Amino acid sequence: MKCPVCNHENGNASFCERCGANLAPSSPTANSAQEQQSAAAEPEYTRWSSTQTTPSHAPISPNTPSAPRPVQHVSDSSSTEGASSSGDKNTNQWNNIVQNEKVQQAKEVSKQYLSYFLSVLTRPYQTMKTVGEQHSLNGWITMALIAVLSSTYFLITFGRMDMDGLFIGGFIRPLLFTAISLIVAIALMYAILKIEKITFRPKTLVAQFGSLLVPAVASLVLANLFIVISYSIAIFFLVVSYLIIFVSLNTVLFQYPLNRTKAAIDSMYSVLIANVVLFFILSRFLGTTIIGLISLMFSPYGRM
């Protein structure tokens, strides 16, 4: 399928391999709805500025009688106070406009990510092959969701067991550990591709890794939902989400042409080292907590 934006020839892909444009066919109704959404998402300061008129450029009709002007008393203090009050008013008005613009941008990003999430969840591998560096933000959002959802899982678990150090041990530590593990996974992929002397773009690498992690987000959502029903099912989905991280790392690496003659070491050993390092970090940071939860599940007081 040819991209309507850059005329790049693509296969059966949802996004353009070069510019990342959406290749799905659009109907006139969808186009009109998209135009209405883009008009509704117009930044607030644009609509505000378009409704304002500058007194210095306003046309003066000769038939319009001029309104009487109030007598102005020349005073340094009054002019200073008026200038400061006018400046404060303009500052507050500008701050409100900036805040409204940020809210609109956050809403637009959330809508775009929800659409991206639902489309990638059905075909993560095919989407991984078509995403570009413009989708790197979605990749970072996916990894942030994995860190937050995993820490929420442990927070709820520790809260149900009335354990001490609830916020530090149940939320902060899993959040940091999961975030570090994901960053290390990206660093390992980057190092292997550099060792293999393969030309790639780091943002595209993040976008590819993030698209494959979308099922991990869904698995963590299920883990947080089932924690109030059964510990065993919740732990199962938690383990699945971390297994997806390993699968995603290997899938991204093997879709590149590895085992080139210019590589310093064989590709099998470099990929093996990456998996061992990532497994060591996850087992070091989260292994003790998961083993404790499994022992609690099989204890008489931990079964649901």
Side-chain angles (χ1 to χ4, degrees):
M1 181 179 295
K2 181 173 291 186
C3 177
V5 178
C6 64
N7 294 324
H8 180 70
E9 189 67 28
N10 301 277
N12 295 328
S14 301
F15 303 94
C16 178
E17 297 178 357
R18 176 179 296 175
C19 66
N22 191 359
L23 301 180
S26 58
S27 60
T29 306
N31 292 334
S32 61
Q34 185 176 4
E35 292 177 359
Q36 292 177 0
Q37 290 180 359
S38 59
E42 183 183 7
E44 187 67 21
Y45 71 89
T46 304
R47 295 197 296 269
W48 175 82
S49 60
S50 62
T51 57
Q52 305 300 311
T53 57
T54 306
S56 60
H57 296 83
I60 301 175
S61 176
N63 298 327
T64 304
S66 59
R69 297 183 179 179
V71 179
Q72 297 181 353
H73 299 280
V74 179
S75 175
D76 295 338
S77 61
S78 62
S79 62
T80 304
E81 292 176 357
S84 68
S85 62
S86 177
D88 294 339
K89 182 178 179 181
N90 293 333
T91 302
N92 294 332
Q93 197 171 18
W94 175 251
N95 291 334
N96 292 333
I97 294 172
V98 172
Q99 291 177 359
N100 292 333
E101 182 183 0
K102 291 181 178 179
V103 170
Q104 293 294 335
Q105 290 177 352
K107 290 181 179 180
E108 189 68 21
V109 170
S110 62
K111 290 180 181 179
Q112 292 178 358
Y113 181 78
L114 180 60
S115 176
Y116 163 84
F117 179 85
L118 296 177
S119 62
V120 174
L121 186 61
T122 57
R123 297 179 179 274
Y125 179 74
Q126 292 184 3
T127 306
M128 182 270 298
K129 297 175 65 176
T130 59
V131 294
E133 59 182 1
Q134 68 276 8
H135 298 96
S136 61
L137 177 60
N138 293 328
W140 288 116
I141 294 176
T142 302
M143 286 183 276
L145 287 175
I146 291 176
V148 171
L149 289 172
S150 61
S151 58
T152 303
Y153 173 88
F154 290 110
L155 180 64
I156 297 174
T157 302
F158 291 164
R160 289 171 60 85
M161 294 187 297
D162 296 330
M163 297 183 65
D164 296 332
L166 181 62
F167 184 73
I168 300 297
F171 187 82
I172 298 299
R173 290 181 63 186
L175 179 69
L176 294 177
F177 293 162
T178 307
I180 291 174
S181 301
L182 294 172
I183 294 175
V184 168
I186 296 176
L188 290 172
M189 291 186 293
Y190 182 88
I192 291 176
L193 294 179
K194 283 295 185 181
I195 292 174
E196 296 283 339
K197 300 184 183 302
I198 295 176
T199 302
F200 67 98
R201 295 182 178 181
K203 290 185 178 181
T204 304
L205 185 69
V206 172
Q208 293 172 341
F209 186 58
S211 63
L212 293 176
L213 291 178
V214 167
V217 175
S219 181
L220 285 171
V221 170
L222 293 176
N224 283 275
L225 293 177
F226 277 98
I227 198 172
V228 298
I229 301 175
S230 173
Y231 279 126
S232 59
I233 299 178
I235 291 177
F236 170 77
F237 283 114
L238 179 68
V239 173
V240 168
S241 65
Y242 283 103
L243 288 177
I244 292 175
I245 298 177
F246 284 94
V247 175
S248 301
L249 180 142
N250 291 276
T251 304
V252 172
L253 287 177
F254 282 112
Q255 64 100 24
Y256 286 96
L258 300 180
N259 199 17
R260 303 176 68 180
T261 56
K262 295 181 179 180
I265 60 176
D266 191 80
S267 301
M268 176 182 175
Y269 295 115
S270 60
V271 175
L272 178 63
I273 292 172
N275 283 271
V276 169
V277 171
L278 184 60
F279 177 78
F280 173 78
I281 293 175
L282 289 176
S283 61
R284 177 71 176 176
F285 289 159
L286 301 174
T288 304
T289 305
I290 294 176
I291 292 174
L293 291 175
I294 294 175
S295 62
L296 179 65
M297 178 186 65
F298 289 104
S299 65
Y301 301 99
R303 295 177 182 175
M304 299 297 294

